[in-house]
Structures are given as structure tokens and as C-alpha cells.
Amino acid sequence: MSETIQAADLTRDIPAEIREPFGAYLLYLGDDALVLGHRLSEWCGHGPTLEEDIALANIALDLVGRSDALLRVAAQLEGKGRSEDDLAFFRDATEFRNAALVELPRGDFAFTIVRQFLYDAYALPLYTHIAANATGALSGIAAKAVKETTYHLRHTAEWVRRFGGGTAESKRRAQDALDELWRYTGELFDEDAVTVALAGAQWIPNPSVLRAAWSETVERVLDEADLAAPAVKHHFTGARSGRHTEHLGHLLSEMQIVARSHPGASW
Amino acid sequence: MTDTVLYEVFLQLKQGGAHEHAGSVRATDDEMALQNARDVYARRFHPLSIWVVRSENITGSAPGDTGPFFDPGDDKPYRHPSFYTVPRGVRDV
């Protein structure tokens, strides 16, 4: 096991001075992708049409694949002999570092799409920056994420416009989703010791720059959809340091039960 | 989503190759049809290009047309362009 890991050291290009914050940040990225991918996978077999069912499953697979790659690097950086699967299936809720936005129950189709849209508008400029500024394995993972997310955003933005320009009910449901989700978006741009250190080293965008890029995309699409960005005074925060909503534990109990019931199983 | 219409999907799998029929999807308009075609057919086949066209815009021959339409012209050898050689390296003609 340790020989395999040494054979492909994915962390060798990460400068010594940012290895610690980057290890923490990889859990932000990897857990966002894993938890959101799992939420999307809940639609499998329940999508509104056969085509959209496949589209959601495709996006879910992209996200789970992304988390697999990111958590593999995170596990190597951690250096405790854990694998990406250990991180995904044997951590408890308080050890997850995803933003609360991605753990909220999937809701109706409008809620799922609006949430995915808000995430995609964040992920695209984020991974674009990482692809251009990070080195080694991270740059490659980010470049793949950019390619995938470019399509995800095209798909979800198209749906947001359809909701807004569709029926009174589709518009109401999209606006309800926005009103509910908006207070969870601020956390994506929170500054903490990890993001400040990495932004200082240019590996990730400055949170305020990232927020500006996100706002530009979101405002443009909401404007086209004739939907309103809600005004929120206080945003939810704390999930990045392990203080999650009640929903993450339930999600993990379902996602982790097979791995925990049969530890070490393979197929 | 009851007002969807049927689209036929064509994939181009290699440079310079023909767009070949892959199947069909339902959608409300061209952009949704293109995205649905991408999600249903493109992930496994890696096409270079996708065409979608409303099924209603395709005119097809009728089953009864078989004889008059398709009987080969084997008795008319001048129809078969087999009297010249194709340069080596030329494919897909």
C-alpha cells in the first residue's frame, strides 16, 4: 500500500510552505464535490424525464470522480496511510469540510437545479484559477473540472432561464429555491486562515475576487430569467469547520453504510 | 414537460466522417435537444460533432417503396464506378 503511494506521489509539486493549508483546502473542494455528487445521485431513476435523469446522473458522476481525485491527493498530503475511500467513508460529519449549501436535501427539481447552478457558477472561476496557477497533479485535476463544469453550468443556467420564463409555477419554485438557498452561498467566499494562506500564494483566487466572478454569472442569468436575487443580512457559516446542518449526518449514514458494514471489501 | 417533441440524433465520430444516426431524444426546443443528445449519446461515443433535427422534418420512404426504389441496378454495370483505381491512403470514399 505505502509502496503504491510512493510510486505515484501526487503531492511533490506542492510547495512546503502551503502543504498544510492546502491539505485542509483539498477537503473543502473534495467534500463539496462528494456531498453534492451524492445529493444529485439521489435523482437517479427519479428525474423528470429520461433525458434529464441521465443528465443529472452524468453530473453526479463527474462530481464523485472529482472528489475521488481530490481526496486521493488530500490523503497523501495527510500522510497517515489513509486512502481516498477512507476519507470518504470513514470520517464522521464533524470531520467533513463541505459548505452547507451542498448538503441541504435535494428538494424539488427547481431546488436541485438552482443549487447546482449556484455551485457551478462558483466552481468554474475557482477551478479555472487553480488550473492556471497550481502545478502538478492539482493543475490536471482542476483542468478536468473546468471542462466538466463548463458544461454543467451551460445545462443548469439553461434550466434557470426556463424556470423563470416558463409557467407561473416553475417561476415560483425557482424563486422559492433561490430564497431558501441564498443565505448558504456566502459561506463559499468566507475568508479563513486556509483561504488567506492559499490566496496569498496565488494557488486559489482571493475570496472577494471569486465572489465577484460568481456574482457576475449569477446576476446575468437571474436577470435573463427574470428572477430576483434575495437580500440576506446574515449568511450561514461554520460548515467549513465542521459545524454542519442536521442534514449531513443523514446523508453520510446512507452514503457510508456499505463501506462501514463491510470494511475492506472489494469487488 | 408534456409538450416535448421527438428529435433524431446524429453523431460524427471521426474527422471528415459522416454524421450517423445514433437514436432519438425528446425536448422542448433545439438547445434542450442538443444537451439531451449530449447527455444520452455523447458520453460513451466521444463524437466530434452532434446534429439534432426534429423527427417531423425527416421525410422517409414508405415500406411499399422497396421494389421500385431499391432494386439494385446490377444489370447496368455503367452505374458502378469500379473502372478506376483509388490512390492508396484514400479512405472513406
Side-chain angles (χ1 to χ4, degrees):
Chain A
M1 185 80 177
S2 61
E3 280 180 8
T4 322
I5 288 173
Q6 280 162 9
D9 182 2
L10 301 169
T11 71
R12 65 176 181 275
D13 295 295
I14 304 173
E17 64 273 19
I18 63 164
R19 289 175 82 88
E20 196 182 327
F22 205 69
Y25 192 71
L26 282 168
L27 295 182
Y28 293 13
L29 298 179
D31 290 348
D32 277 355
L34 179 62
V35 172
L36 186 56
H38 187 82
R39 278 292 182 224
L40 274 183
S41 77
E42 294 172 355
W43 279 96
C44 197
H46 303 278
T49 63
L50 181 142
E51 288 86 348
E52 188 59 27
D53 195 286
I54 295 173
L56 292 176
N58 283 342
I59 298 174
L61 280 171
D62 285 345
L63 291 172
V64 174
R66 183 181 307 172
S67 76
D68 182 65
L70 291 164
L71 293 180
R72 189 174 306 131
V73 183
Q76 287 193 9
L77 261 182
E78 182 189 57
K80 292 180 184 166
R82 294 203 284 184
S83 70
E84 59 275 23
D85 283 350
D86 294 331
L87 292 182
F89 298 121
F90 292 91
R91 280 181 300 152
D92 293 330
T94 53
E95 298 169 275
F96 271 74
R97 292 293 176 264
N98 59 280
L101 175 74
V102 300
E103 74 200 31
L104 301 173
R106 68 181 182 274
D108 60 13
F109 181 60
F111 189 91
T112 285
I113 290 290
V114 170
R115 184 239 306 268
Q116 186 66 37
F117 166 69
L118 295 172
Y119 169 82
D120 293 337
Y122 157 78
L124 187 57
L126 172 59
Y127 282 106
T128 301
H129 181 103
I130 297 175
N133 292 277
T135 52
L138 253 299
S139 178
I141 294 168
K144 185 163 184 282
V146 169
K147 204 159 54 172
E148 293 165 350
T149 304
T150 301
Y151 179 73
H152 301 169
L153 182 59
R154 176 173 166 175
H155 189 73
T156 52
E158 183 68 19
W159 269 117
V160 170
R161 285 188 283 262
R162 286 178 193 285
F163 292 147
T167 63
E169 182 173 8
S170 71
K171 185 170 184 177
R172 176 185 61 77
R173 285 180 183 244
Q175 188 63 54
D176 286 352
L178 269 175
D179 293 347
E180 171 68 17
L181 286 161
W182 202 256
R183 78 188 115 119
Y184 294 96
T185 58
E187 190 180 31
L188 300 172
F189 313 103
D190 274 347
E191 290 195 11
D192 59 23
V194 169
T195 56
V196 167
L198 293 172
Q202 307 292 322
W203 270 54
I204 66 168
N206 188 297
S208 61
V209 174
L210 184 57
R211 178 192 269 280
W214 176 84
S215 295
E216 198 275 319
T217 305
V218 170
E219 282 166 17
R220 176 169 45 79
V221 174
L222 292 188
D223 191 48
E224 289 164 356
D226 195 25
L227 295 166
V232 173
K233 275 196 187 132
H234 302 288
H235 72 256
F236 182 96
T237 190
R240 293 277 195 225
S241 48
R243 295 190 303 281
H244 290 277
T245 68
E246 61 182 323
H247 306 296
L248 182 64
H250 295 285
L251 179 150
L252 293 182
S253 67
E254 184 175 303
M255 189 183 85
Q256 296 177 331
I257 187 163
V258 173
R260 290 192 182 210
S261 305
H262 307 278
S266 62
W267 62 84
Chain B
M1 293 272 294
T2 50
D3 49 352
T4 55
V5 296
L6 197 63
Y7 281 76
E8 300 303 319
V9 179
F10 299 83
L11 305 181
Q12 186 193 35
L13 297 177
K14 52 187 173 183
Q15 200 76 45
H19 285 71
E20 293 181 28
H21 188 236
S24 50
V25 292
R26 298 197 71 90
T28 55
D29 59 37
D30 295 352
E31 171 65 16
M32 189 191 284
L34 198 56
Q35 291 192 12
N36 286 347
R38 179 268 187 196
D39 279 308
V40 176
Y41 294 106
R43 298 253 311 184
R44 298 232 167 105
F45 297 111
H46 304 291
L48 299 169
S49 150
I50 303 175
W51 288 349
V52 289
V53 58
R54 283 181 178 231
S55 308
E56 67 190 21
N57 290 338
I58 295 177
T59 306
S61 60
D65 289 337
T66 344
F69 260 55
F70 304 126
D71 266 359
D74 286 345
D75 54 339
K76 299 163 187 160
Y78 52 85
R79 284 189 173 178
H80 297 273
S82 55
F83 304 114
Y84 54 88
T85 53
V86 177
R88 276 194 306 161
V90 175
R91 293 186 197 145
D92 301 327
V93 290

